[in-house]
Amino acid sequence: MSRAVFGGVLIAALAGALALRLAAADLRPMHHDEANQAVKFGALLEHGDYHYDRNDHHGPTLYYLTLPVAWTRGQATLASLDERTLRAVPAIFGAGLILLFLPLTRRFGRPAVAAAAILAALSPALTCFSRYYIQESLFAWFVIAFLIAAGRFAERPGPAPAVCAGAMAGLAYSTKETSVIALSAVVLAAVLARVTTRSADAPDDATAPRVSAGRRAAWVAAGVAAAIVVAFTFYSSFLKYPGGLFESIRAFGVYFDRGFGPGSHSQPFGYYARLLAYSSSGGLVWTEGLVLVLACAGMIASALRSPAIPSGFWGRYVSLYALIAFAGFSAIRYKTPWNLVPFYAGFVLMAGVGTAAIVRGVRPRAWRVLVILALVVAVSHLGLQNWRANFRYPADPRNPYVYAQTVPDFLRLTQRVMDVAALHPDRSAMLVKVVAGPYEQWPLPWYLRRMTRVGYWTRADRAGRLADAPVVIASQDQADAVAAALGGDYVQEFYGLRPDVLLAIFIERPSWDRFLASRQPR
Amino acid sequence: MLLLAALLVPLAAQQAAEKEVLKLQLPKPMFIGTPTNIKSPNLEVITGKSRPPFMVPVGTKLLSLKKPVRSSDMQPVIGELDMITDGEKEGGDGYFVELGPGKQWVQVDLGKPYALQAILVWHYHSQARVYRDVIVQLSDDKDFLKGVQTIFNNDHDNTSGLGIGKDKEYIEVAEGRLIDPKGAKARFVRFYSNGNTTNDLNHYVEIEVYGTPIS
């Protein structure tokens, strides 16, 4: 593959990845977790206030890295924010994963890196979770950056890769608590790959100067120091709360209990493998089996030291990382679909290696052309699934990557509140009372962020005089109590929140009549 | 007075004799009971009981079987439009057609005008869900520009812009939704919907239109 073709493919993959991740950013209703984090970011944006919470919300990087996007778009308050600002951050990091493959061109060859870039751009799973305002795509980016820097250090020790690896580890740790699994997988993979690979297989070994154990230890220490400095800076909210880093260590107790204890998110070991390999629901079939098969080919080619892969060390290293991280995340009982991103990025990289190995290994030329055509068809199918997952069925429960997702019907509810408020004398200051448990309240605070008088209670008997509010929203378990408290002068409607979870809305009769009059044909 | 009663009783008996129970082949239920405890004045009361027998004039026939179907979404991602009148009413995968998001319609062409006696629609009955803004209209004009009769409308806030409906929303079940056209005459039957409580897409398992020839 010529340099020009390679460059063209990479630019096209990057542009395609950005388009798929940024287009129609507000198409899918905000997930409970996204809304939660958006409101937390709003506090940082408005008041400069961020305090790490070891029980929830993960690490600080997502919030701090959203600031430049909000500033660029001239948004200074929670009310002024929108989905495009928030979701741009994970989208940029999700597409940016492709740029991380570039330093591996010499290790894997241009065809492998080009193929990996195309697969990363089109992967429905990687695209999907780059369109959520959650930590995963940032986390995967920092982990893969650490993987590359640590591999570079293992290959040719020096202060630059050590400090770079340390900084990336610090950023990964400042993003998610599960970084301990991913970062450990990288270190273990590096050690195993190094001891099982002959020196001649690592291309830089021949030119690498001999380094004493003392100097090597000093560089490792510099890397660890860089990681601590970065993590301390973020967890302390840029030195405002020095105890933040200590809190992040205490969080391991919380996340250990959550990760290994029984709970509604518990899934069997094979959950991620099944999710990626094949699923079918409601007439829709999903598979990223192409990536998995190509990744297996890449891993086998690496293990067998295929001539298609210039570096034996890097093939084994990335393979081991992907497999160890996959096993580590699969071993935790607590599973959500987006947790697959950090290890799946490794599989995608190895799928690129596998593609190059297969194409190079097929002879004669006619067969090679047929294989390339078959791959083009398979990749097109991946693209079709990407469109379905992210644009046709972005919030549909049949989409395997959709998890406890807010249903589109919920947007009708929030639109109803806005429409009623627009006709109410108090406009955005119209009183709205929400009576629902914590899990049924979200993502209302995000969608009602432009309403200035919204109160939240978990029980009707604690919400004061409900009839003071022109609009009351209630969860199913509170709807009867709210209806009884309001009497007959309210119109009641219901809307979906999540699959099989509904919210009731009560609108006082005069407001309803005004609203209905506005909907009459003129 | 007695004479009038004596005249009316045989007449009523004769009318009753001209009616019969509409015979339906119903699919197997896909879920038991109502998993979500939905209560709303806009929602039909959930009784959990089967629909009572529906009386139609003797000679009422199924008119819609294998009849052509048009839609606002002529290229559904899942299924084909002709599945709507193929007689298959099962709730599982492979039995429904999925139309795009938002307001969509399907329209059955009966070939010629009939006196319509019963209309049944199954949107999707493998999950308890409510389809929004269900409107059923009749016309002899394939474009529904003239002579349009609305026989069912539960768009209570006029979202679809076809007028405020007074009918109630309902949860999809295996026995389908029965709409009484009260003998209205039409060749075309159009069904609107606007997403549902689970997603913003529109689905049809089957539509059945029953009627009698216009003498």
Side-chain angles (χ1 to χ4, degrees), chain A residues 282-284 392-393 396-398 407 409 412 416 476 480 492-495 500 502 512 516 519-521, chain B residues 36-42 77-78 93 96 98 100 132 156-159 164 169 194-195 197-199 201:
Chain A
L284 298 172
R392 179 80 183 199
Y393 302 104
D396 197 302
R398 292 170 295 171
V407 295
D409 201 43
R412 298 182 214 246
R416 180 71 87 236
Q476 282 172 265
D480 285 346
Q492 185 185 344
E493 298 180 288
F494 65 93
Y495 292 95
D500 292 334
L502 296 163
W512 174 260
L516 214 51
R519 303 289 286 264
Q520 294 281 11
Chain B
T36 45
N37 178 29
I38 314 171
K39 286 183 194 168
S40 166
N42 295 322
V77 171
I78 298 176
D93 296 352
F96 65 86
E98 181 170 282
R132 300 295 193 183
H156 71 286
D157 57 359
N158 199 23
T159 306
I164 293 171
E169 295 185 313
N194 187 8
T197 46
T198 298
N199 56 45
L201 301 166

Side-chain angles (χ1 to χ4, degrees), chain A residues 369-414:
Chain A
V369 171
L370 277 178
V371 166
I372 291 171
L373 283 175
L375 284 169
V376 168
V377 170
V379 167
S380 303
H381 180 248
L382 203 64
L384 175 68
Q385 288 186 87
N386 188 311
W387 173 75
R388 284 186 174 179
N390 297 297
F391 299 97
R392 179 80 183 199
Y393 302 104
D396 197 302
R398 292 170 295 171
N399 178 341
Y401 306 122
V402 163
Y403 188 78
Q405 168 65 41
T406 310
V407 295
D409 201 43
F410 175 80
L411 299 182
R412 298 182 214 246
L413 180 146
T414 56

Side-chain angles (χ1 to χ4, degrees), chain A residues 51-64:
Chain A
H51 202 152
Y52 173 68
D53 172 6
R54 70 170 187 272
N55 292 305
D56 236 321
H57 304 113
H58 300 301
T61 54
L62 176 67
Y63 309 103
Y64 281 103

Side-chain angles (χ1 to χ4, degrees), chain B residues 16-94:
Chain B
E18 288 172 355
K19 293 250 181 180
E20 63 181 358
V21 172
L22 179 66
K23 293 183 182 67
L24 298 168
Q25 285 192 325
L26 297 178
K28 281 184 291 186
M30 297 290 287
F31 61 88
I32 298 164
T34 308
T36 45
N37 178 29
I38 314 171
K39 286 183 194 168
S40 166
N42 295 322
L43 184 71
E44 201 161 78
V45 174
I46 304 154
T47 64
K49 294 176 185 166
S50 297
R51 182 174 50 226
F54 186 73
M55 304 301 289
V56 291
V58 172
T60 296
K61 296 267 188 276
L62 175 61
L63 307 170
S64 54
L65 190 66
K66 312 287 186 192
K67 289 287 164 54
V69 178
R70 275 179 65 208
S71 171
S72 52
D73 180 358
M74 289 300 286
Q75 291 184 314
V77 171
I78 298 176
E80 302 291 338
L81 289 174
D82 57 14
M83 293 163 74
I84 296 174
T85 53
D86 66 355
E88 299 279 356
K89 288 168 262 183
E90 296 304 317
D93 296 352

Side-chain angles (χ1 to χ4, degrees), chain B residues 97-112:
Chain B
V97 60
E98 181 170 282
L99 309 178
K103 180 176 142 187
Q104 301 285 354
W105 54 261
V106 298
Q107 178 177 312
V108 180
D109 179 1
L110 302 175
K112 63 179 184 179

Side-chain angles (χ1 to χ4, degrees), chain A residues 169-485:
Chain A
L171 285 166
Y173 180 70
S174 304
T175 305
K176 272 200 94 173
E177 295 76 1
T178 45
S179 55
V180 288
I181 301 168
L183 298 179
S184 303
V186 171
V187 173
L188 188 56
V191 171
L192 287 173
R194 201 70 188 88
V195 298
T196 57
T197 309
R198 290 181 297 119
S199 294
D201 286 345
D204 273 1
D205 261 5
T207 55
R210 295 191 66 81
V211 176
S212 69
R215 290 184 78 184
R216 198 181 286 237
W219 290 333
V220 169
V224 171
I228 292 170
V229 167
V230 168
F232 178 74
T233 304
F234 275 101
Y235 276 109
S236 67
S237 309
F238 287 81
L239 313 185
K240 255 196 223 168
Y241 306 107
L245 186 60
F246 180 62
E247 283 295 290
S248 76
I249 296 164
R250 290 180 67 195
F252 287 124
V254 175
Y255 283 90
F256 187 86
D257 290 345
R258 198 175 291 169
F260 292 97
S264 56
H265 301 292
S266 291
Q267 298 287 354
F269 184 88
Y271 173 77
Y272 294 121
R274 275 206 307 277
L275 190 68
L276 290 165
Y278 180 84
S279 65
S280 143
S281 172
L284 298 172
V285 174
W286 307 85
T287 176
E288 296 209 30
L290 171 72
V291 175
L292 297 181
V293 168
L294 291 174
C296 287
M299 290 173 184
I300 292 167
S302 297
L304 299 178
R305 189 65 184 92
S306 160
I309 309 166
S311 166
F313 164 74
W314 279 87
R316 289 180 189 185
Y317 172 47
V318 178
S319 301
L320 283 166
Y321 158 71
L323 292 171
I324 294 167
F326 163 70
F329 280 98
S330 296
I332 299 172
R333 289 174 72 177
Y334 181 103
K335 293 184 182 74
T336 53
W338 42 83
N339 280 330
L340 63 82
V341 176
F343 69 78
Y344 191 51
F347 277 85
V348 169
L349 191 45
M350 289 315 298
V353 175
T355 307
I358 289 171
V359 171
R360 188 183 159 124
V362 174
R363 290 172 205 283
R365 191 182 170 82
W367 281 103
R368 186 179 291 181
V369 171
L370 277 178
V371 166
I372 291 171
L373 283 175
L375 284 169
V376 168
V377 170
V379 167
S380 303
H381 180 248
L382 203 64
L384 175 68
Q385 288 186 87
N386 188 311
W387 173 75
R388 284 186 174 179
N390 297 297
F391 299 97
R392 179 80 183 199
Y393 302 104
D396 197 302
R398 292 170 295 171
N399 178 341
Y401 306 122
V402 163
Y403 188 78
Q405 168 65 41
T406 310
V407 295
D409 201 43
F410 175 80
L411 299 182
R412 298 182 214 246
L413 180 146
T414 56
Q415 188 57 51
R416 180 71 87 236
V417 177
M418 296 302 159
D419 289 345
V420 169
L423 298 166
H424 192 275
D426 294 339
R427 307 280 176 181
S428 61
M430 181 186 79
L431 180 62
V432 178
K433 291 193 170 186
V434 179
V435 183
Y439 287 105
E440 281 77 45
Q441 289 181 2
W442 292 94
L444 277 169
W446 165 255
Y447 284 100
L448 301 183
R449 66 193 180 282
R450 293 181 182 126
M451 302 288 295
T452 55
R453 294 174 68 217
V454 184
Y456 295 86
W457 293 267
T458 54
R459 288 173 49 154
D461 57 2
R462 293 176 185 164
R465 209 178 107 80
L466 284 167
D468 290 343
V471 171
V472 180
I473 298 168
S475 55
Q476 282 172 265
D477 62 325
Q478 295 296 313
D480 285 346
V482 169

Side-chain angles (χ1 to χ4, degrees), chain B residues 114-161:
Chain B
Y114 287 91
L116 306 183
Q117 308 300 343
I119 294 174
L120 283 107
V121 56
W122 289 260
H123 281 106
Y124 187 89
H125 60 91
S126 60
Q127 183 191 41
R129 57 171 72 164
V130 174
Y131 280 79
R132 300 295 193 183
D133 309 332
V134 174
I135 300 168
V136 182
Q137 293 184 330
L138 310 177
S139 180
D140 285 337
D141 174 17
K142 67 178 171 51
D143 297 320
F144 279 70
L145 297 174
K146 55 189 179 190
V148 178
Q149 305 172 67
T150 300
I151 58 167
F152 184 90
N153 182 350
N154 68 17
D155 180 9
H156 71 286
D157 57 359
N158 199 23
T159 306
S160 294

